[in-house]
Amino acid sequence: MTERRPPHKTRERTKPADNAAAKRVTLPRALSKLGYCSRTQAERLIAENRVAVDGRTVSDTSAWVDLATASISIDGLVIAAEAKIYLMLNKPRGLVTTRHDPEGRPTVYDCLKDFDIPHLSPVGRLDKASEGLLLFTNDTEFAQILLDPVTHVTKTYHVQIDRIMDDEDIVAMTSGIRHDGELLTATAARRLRRGDRNSWIEVELDEGRNRQIRRMLEALGTECLRLVRVAIGGLELGELPKGAVRALTEPELQALRRKTGMERTRRN
């Protein structure tokens, strides 16, 4: 007698063979792309038998689904893709880039209280002492591509230091400085303005090493007094007030997509 699989569950392990099924993704990734939850959270929901595809419960986290045609539900409720949101914040100094801080410190989400948008996440981070441009979105694909070092989207910082930067140090920053066994390199660096005891420099990075600029300056025996991110790609912080949030305009969004190659991918 042939054993029949229970009708309420389904498993699908076969990965799409070619690019024709471009909308086919694993179920955890599908829930993430729909803006419902992170992939880790999705895997937990699937393991708890709370996720169904086309009316059938799926318990396999490696299952593939077609986003263009599949009906996905959580606890019996069909979910749909959220409207994509893209925001910029002028992050004040002293806020940590996390939704909940175990130490009870203020976070960047304190600036987003007027935006009741679930699953809104920062694109990258700025440490507690740093200020300036921080992006938020619920478009996980956009965020991942923008952060991918392969795309080489530059981030521009204005940095106040405790001395006057000389030519030798400027060259060192763009040639590469070794700190704790790691080679750290700026795409570009130049002097902006100077005072009697300190000065401002502009630094561009196309990679996201932890505390990269601060570590480079530390290796040069220089103290970082302020660090402000003023641009990501061609997107500039401009005159946005400290702690204020605004939506990206369509031309700004298209420009970022062109920087990452997303515009070409979408046309193809």
Side-chain angles (χ1 to χ4, degrees):
M1 181 176 178
T2 304
E3 182 179 355
R4 298 181 63 187
R5 181 176 296 170
H8 67 289
K9 293 193 176 184
T10 183
R11 290 175 178 266
E12 183 179 356
R13 292 182 176 274
T14 305
K15 185 176 180 178
D18 52 42
N19 292 331
K23 290 291 185 180
R24 288 174 65 81
V25 295
T26 61
L27 185 53
R29 181 162 175 78
L31 292 175
S32 174
K33 289 174 73 68
L34 290 170
Y36 185 83
C37 61
S38 70
R39 274 182 274 185
T40 300
Q41 293 168 328
E43 289 172 355
R44 188 179 307 119
L45 291 171
I46 294 166
E48 294 172 353
N49 292 323
R50 297 171 60 188
V51 182
V53 178
D54 296 330
R56 295 186 176 184
T57 300
V58 178
S59 59
D60 184 2
T61 57
S62 66
W64 287 74
V65 298
D66 189 334
L67 276 174
T69 60
S71 173
I72 304 174
S73 59
I74 310 292
D75 296 331
L77 298 177
V78 176
I79 63 173
E82 290 182 331
K84 301 304 182 186
I85 305 295
Y86 309 88
L87 304 176
M88 70 155 63
L89 163 69
N90 185 350
K91 176 190 175 295
R93 189 173 186 172
L95 302 184
V96 292
T97 307
T98 185
R99 185 178 293 274
H100 303 292
D101 182 65
E103 299 178 28
R105 295 172 296 181
T107 81
V108 291
Y109 283 90
D110 293 333
C111 300
L112 301 175
K113 291 178 179 177
D114 293 337
F115 294 85
D116 185 18
I117 304 169
H119 321 304
L120 193 64
S121 300
V123 182
R125 308 179 75 83
L126 282 174
D127 63 37
K128 180 182 176 184
S130 299
E131 313 164 48
L133 179 56
L134 184 62
L135 298 180
F136 289 82
T137 186
N138 57 358
D139 185 340
T140 55
E141 180 182 11
F142 173 80
Q144 289 165 3
I145 292 177
L146 197 59
L147 292 172
D148 191 333
V150 174
T151 60
H152 296 291
V153 176
T154 59
K155 284 82 173 175
T156 306
Y157 302 82
H158 288 178
V159 188
Q160 186 184 30
I161 59 176
D162 66 344
R163 64 181 177 87
I164 311 302
M165 182 73 81
D166 55 36
D167 292 339
E168 183 179 344
D169 288 337
I170 291 289
V171 171
M173 294 189 76
T174 55
S175 300
I177 297 172
R178 193 162 293 278
H179 183 277
D180 289 342
E182 188 175 17
L183 186 64
L184 306 173
T185 306
T187 306
R190 68 183 183 92
R191 287 183 290 269
L192 285 176
R193 55 186 182 275
R194 57 179 293 177
D196 294 332
R197 299 182 180 179
N198 56 62
S199 62
W200 285 83
I201 60 173
E202 182 177 85
V203 182
E204 286 186 8
L205 303 178
D206 66 357
E207 55 186 359
R209 308 291 182 87
N210 183 41
R211 300 182 68 254
Q212 182 168 343
I213 294 176
R214 296 182 187 277
R215 292 167 61 197
M216 295 173 77
L217 293 173
E218 181 181 328
L220 294 173
T222 302
E223 182 182 356
C224 177
L225 302 179
R226 286 185 67 190
L227 191 152
V228 185
R229 183 156 65 195
V230 297
I232 297 176
L235 178 66
E236 296 184 352
L237 180 62
E239 300 300 320
L240 187 67
K242 191 75 66 178
V245 183
R246 73 164 176 85
L248 269 61
T249 65
E250 189 58 32
E252 289 172 336
L253 191 54
Q254 289 177 0
L256 280 178
R257 284 176 171 148
R258 284 194 297 270
K259 286 279 186 182
T260 62
M262 288 182 71
E263 206 64 38
R264 291 191 299 274
T265 302
R266 292 171 67 165
R267 284 198 298 269
N268 293 337

